[in-house]
Structures are given as structure tokens and as C-alpha cells.
Amino acid sequence: MTYGRLVDTHAGFMPWVLAQGIKNARAKLTDVLLWWCDRKCPGCGGVKLGKMAICETCKGFGTREVPHEAEGMLISEHIGEHVDRARCSTIAALKLMKGLKVVAAQAVSLARH
């Protein structure tokens, strides 16, 4: 999925974000999508330590917060639901494929005999 499709006003996440009444929807959606791509703390690069101590920016968590506070969290949770649904579909498809391989192997075995 491309960035353009994710923020398209007729597809992707943009219609949902607009329906929530979020102002500056495109900018906020873009910021949250970028956060999904890289959550590392800009202060420590995700290593959780600054100069000989815990990073001041992330307080030792190694990640940065979702941008745009509550609205950003709402957008992020919506994206997360879609990611979870896609993962479940992929897992189900892989399990089905495993079964199909067994059936195909049996068919090949029967054809040889």
C-alpha cells in the first residue's frame, strides 16, 4: 500500500479520519503514519540511554509518543485494528495453504501410483 492510497480522500484511512471531525486531517494522518513507520526516540535512537544515563527525551522507553495526543492515538488505534485484521487474515491464509499443500501432495502421490 502506498502513502498516496493511505491518505486518499476516497479510500485508505482519510475518509475515516475526516468522519471523526479531526481538523488538519491529512497532516495528522501523515504524522501518525510516519510514527507507525519509525517509533524510535529521536534523542537516543531507541537505545534508551543518553550520555551515561537514561535518555531525557524518552525517559528510557526508547520510543516517542504518538503525535497529536488524543486525536493521534485515535488514528493510531484505527490503523492498529486494520493491521491486526490483516495479520489474522494472513495467518488464516497460511494455515489454509498448509492444508492445500497436503492435499496436493496426496494427489501427486496417487497420480504416480
Side-chain angles (χ1 to χ4, degrees):
M1 176 90 30
T2 64
Y3 167 77
R5 291 189 67 184
L6 291 171
V7 296
D8 187 297
T9 55
H10 302 290
F13 294 119
M14 186 57 75
W16 183 88
V17 174
L18 292 169
Q20 305 313 302
I22 294 174
K23 294 188 186 326
N24 301 320
R26 185 178 184 88
K28 289 179 181 177
L29 175 57
T30 297
D31 289 346
V32 174
L33 287 169
L34 290 171
W35 176 84
W36 266 83
C37 292
D38 183 10
R39 300 176 191 191
K40 288 185 285 188
C41 169
C44 67
V47 296
K48 304 177 186 178
L49 299 174
K51 294 178 183 174
M52 305 293 281
I54 293 175
C55 175
E56 287 293 318
T57 306
C58 67
K59 307 297 185 233
F61 288 100
T63 58
R64 59 189 179 102
E65 291 186 23
V66 178
H68 305 293
E69 300 171 351
E71 289 178 328
M73 187 61 85
L74 185 67
I75 295 168
S76 177
E77 288 171 356
H78 182 71
I79 293 169
E81 290 171 11
H82 285 272
V83 169
D84 288 343
R85 193 173 318 138
R87 282 184 185 137
C88 289
S89 296
T90 300
I91 290 168
L94 289 172
K95 287 179 181 177
L96 177 62
M97 185 178 293
K98 184 177 180 181
L100 291 173
K101 285 181 179 181
V102 170
V103 171
Q106 290 170 348
V108 168
S109 177
L110 290 174
R112 287 183 181 166
H113 296 284

